[in-house]
Amino acid sequence: MTAETADTADPAEDPAGAADPGERRREQHGWYFYDFACSVYSTSVLTVFLGPFLTSIAKAAADADGFVHPLGVPVRAGSLFAYAVSVSVVVAVILMPVVGAAADRSGRKKPLLAAAAYVGATATAGMFFLDGTRYLLGAFLLIVANAAISVSMVLYNSYLPQISEPDERDAVSSRGWAFGYTSGALVLVLNLILYTGHDSFGLSESDAVRICLASAGVWWGAFTVVPLRRLRDRQVAPGGQGAVGSGWRQLTATLRDMRRHPLTLSFLLAYLVYNDGVQTVISQASVYGSEELGLDQTTLITAVLLVQVLAVAGALGMGRLARVHGAKRTILASLIVWTLILVAGYFLPADAPVFFYALAAAIGLVLGGSQALSRSLYSHLVPRGKEAEYFSAYEMSDRGLSWLGPLVFGLAYQLTGSYRDAIISLVIFFVVGSVLLARVPVRQAVAAAGNPVPERI
């Protein structure tokens, strides 16, 4: 390989990223490290610290009726975090198809990945300056960081079919998730040491939280250097250039193109349904634990850490199962386990942390694997040369469209007044998702997308 082609390759001649297995492994190792870099944002910032902290800042700025007034609009202080997350989803939905199409048509994924990653990391590091009544700054930084990580994941995921052979994608995807959960657990342990022992470090509780938030941004930015040094851009096929157009027009074009691949679209629909259930369980578990089971904050945070640790083993273990039984069967088995988790959660006794930890352990064991194998299975169904574009639709299913589950959960609680009824209502997502996935003939779908069919899938 000459110096001129060291950072670019002809996709027609180099479908798996590099003809040289050593070069391919080098790219895979670099690819793993983006999960290692950005997962701390999802764990420490979004799941643990930012929601309560931003809410407390908004409440400090609220009027006598408990409202803040961003841009003159009255917003209940306790709703600010949720609204900011919703706005970030809208921004991401607009940007993801644009960036995905630009990456496919220019072949320059790496500069776009760098831009998205460092915008998000900078916004996260800037959360150090949240104090007093700066709720507008907090909402703005959350919107920027959350949209940036969604855009970066489109580009990150779209590398998978380019850096791995069809038969190794389940393992490569699973290792990526394992790297992410490892870093999430590691940083969360360090954050919890700082947070719980802030007095001994001469810090206030607020200072400790701000350092925890900012450290996630620094970590994200620092380890992003590794994938940027090891991943390569690919040359686009002739005719690949073109105007990107608006986000919605590009999304429409992508979905129109997907009509030529109805089996790919069928899998995406199944994923949308069962992943909505997965994301809702993750986001509402702490509410269920605190409000219905009466568990304290320390128990909830420790349970999140347990999920992170066991998700590493779960992702790797399910990757091995997929090599024997195929990704589709392994995902279907994990959805059965998810259903049993919800049933067990419904009967979980209050004020019994040990049972909640057992449930968290079960979630950890299936969480990483079901997500990793879904990603690798979808990578087989994507037509060559349209990886980023199709993964933008996948990422929108993963992040941008996961709203129905929380709505069902909220309506179930509103109608029954019981979080137990709310949590069991989510079973429908796993049942319907399983049925839809079972109906997808994945071997036929891979062939229809013009890709080689793995021996096990």
Side-chain angles (χ1 to χ4, degrees), residues 278-440:
V278 171
Q279 298 302 322
T280 306
V281 172
I282 295 171
S283 64
Q284 301 303 320
S286 60
V287 175
Y288 184 70
S290 61
E291 299 296 326
E292 184 68 33
L293 304 181
L295 303 176
D296 58 32
Q297 187 68 22
T298 301
T299 299
L300 297 176
I301 294 177
T302 309
V304 171
L305 179 59
L306 179 62
V307 169
Q308 295 294 310
V309 172
L310 291 180
V312 176
L316 296 176
M318 287 182 64
R320 293 190 181 95
L321 287 175
R323 288 201 296 269
V324 178
H325 303 289
K328 178 183 173 180
R329 289 182 179 178
T330 307
I331 294 170
L332 286 171
S334 77
L335 298 182
I336 294 174
V337 176
W338 276 109
T339 303
L340 295 176
I341 286 171
L342 291 178
V343 173
Y346 178 82
F347 293 104
L348 214 61
D351 300 315
V354 64
F355 291 106
F356 190 74
Y357 285 138
L359 206 63
I363 289 174
L365 290 173
V366 293
L367 175 61
S370 58
Q371 291 177 319
L373 294 178
S374 296
R375 178 172 64 184
S376 61
L377 180 54
Y378 181 71
S379 74
H380 292 286
L381 312 182
V382 175
R384 288 269 306 282
K386 297 187 176 181
E387 292 85 3
E389 190 175 338
Y390 270 57
F391 266 106
S392 70
Y394 178 88
E395 191 66 17
M396 288 172 67
S397 298
D398 189 10
R399 296 175 184 268
L401 299 180
S402 294
W403 55 269
L404 186 57
L407 177 62
V408 169
F409 185 92
L411 287 175
Y413 177 74
Q414 182 174 331
L415 294 174
T416 67
S418 168
Y419 281 107
R420 293 185 186 273
D421 291 337
I423 202 73
I424 200 66
S425 70
L426 300 178
V427 166
I428 188 66
F429 291 93
F430 296 103
V431 173
V432 173
S434 297
V435 172
L436 292 174
L437 177 59
R439 292 170 59 88
V440 178

Side-chain angles (χ1 to χ4, degrees), residues 108-147:
R108 294 182 60 78
K109 292 180 185 178
K110 192 159 68 169
L112 292 169
L113 175 61
Y118 283 108
V119 166
T122 301
T124 305
M127 293 176 186
F128 177 79
F129 300 101
L130 298 182
D131 61 1
T133 59
R134 295 178 177 175
Y135 72 93
L136 277 177
L137 176 62
F140 173 74
L141 293 175
L142 169 58
I143 291 168
V144 172
N146 222 36

Side-chain angles (χ1 to χ4, degrees), residues 435-454:
V435 172
L436 292 174
L437 177 59
R439 292 170 59 88
V440 178
V442 290
R443 301 186 71 83
Q444 182 181 340
V446 174
N451 296 319
V453 181

Side-chain angles (χ1 to χ4, degrees), residues 63-364:
D63 59 22
D65 296 320
F67 285 84
V68 291
H69 300 269
L71 304 178
V73 179
V75 173
R76 192 174 294 278
S79 300
L80 181 71
F81 177 74
Y83 287 153
V85 171
S86 297
V87 172
S88 73
V89 168
V90 174
V91 174
V93 164
I94 294 171
L95 291 178
M96 284 191 289
V98 176
V99 175
D104 284 334
R105 290 172 175 175
S106 68
R108 294 182 60 78
K109 292 180 185 178
K110 192 159 68 169
L112 292 169
L113 175 61
Y118 283 108
V119 166
T122 301
T124 305
M127 293 176 186
F128 177 79
F129 300 101
L130 298 182
D131 61 1
T133 59
R134 295 178 177 175
Y135 72 93
L136 277 177
L137 176 62
F140 173 74
L141 293 175
L142 169 58
I143 291 168
V144 172
N146 222 36
I149 196 171
S150 296
V151 171
S152 72
M153 291 304 291
V154 169
L155 301 162
Y156 167 72
N157 286 335
S158 70
Y159 269 105
L160 179 59
Q162 296 181 327
I163 64 171
S164 56
E165 298 285 1
D167 288 334
E168 60 183 359
R169 284 183 199 163
D170 290 341
V172 171
S173 182
S174 296
R175 290 188 196 111
W177 280 106
F179 266 62
Y181 284 117
T182 299
S183 72
L186 175 60
V187 174
L188 187 57
V189 167
L190 297 175
N191 287 165
L192 288 177
I193 291 172
L194 178 64
Y195 176 74
T196 56
H198 59 82
D199 287 335
S200 61
F201 291 105
L203 299 171
S204 67
E205 182 178 350
S206 175
D207 290 338
V209 171
R210 292 189 298 117
I211 292 173
C212 291
L213 293 171
S215 66
V218 173
W219 182 283
W220 184 357
F223 284 100
T224 295
V225 172
V226 180
L228 292 181
R229 288 180 62 87
R230 294 196 173 190
L231 292 173
R232 299 178 301 120
D233 284 331
R234 269 74 176 168
Q235 295 176 354
V236 296
Q241 301 291 340
V244 175
S246 70
W248 287 107
R249 187 163 69 248
Q250 182 56 51
L251 176 60
T252 301
T254 301
L255 293 176
R256 188 181 300 118
D257 186 74
M258 278 187 169
R259 291 169 59 185
R260 300 190 298 112
H261 303 283
L263 297 180
T264 301
L265 196 57
S266 297
F267 172 81
L268 196 60
L269 176 61
Y271 174 75
L272 169 62
V273 174
Y274 70 73
N275 181 66
D276 206 351
V278 171
Q279 298 302 322
T280 306
V281 172
I282 295 171
S283 64
Q284 301 303 320
S286 60
V287 175
Y288 184 70
S290 61
E291 299 296 326
E292 184 68 33
L293 304 181
L295 303 176
D296 58 32
Q297 187 68 22
T298 301
T299 299
L300 297 176
I301 294 177
T302 309
V304 171
L305 179 59
L306 179 62
V307 169
Q308 295 294 310
V309 172
L310 291 180
V312 176
L316 296 176
M318 287 182 64
R320 293 190 181 95
L321 287 175
R323 288 201 296 269
V324 178
H325 303 289
K328 178 183 173 180
R329 289 182 179 178
T330 307
I331 294 170
L332 286 171
S334 77
L335 298 182
I336 294 174
V337 176
W338 276 109
T339 303
L340 295 176
I341 286 171
L342 291 178
V343 173
Y346 178 82
F347 293 104
L348 214 61
D351 300 315
V354 64
F355 291 106
F356 190 74
Y357 285 138
L359 206 63
I363 289 174

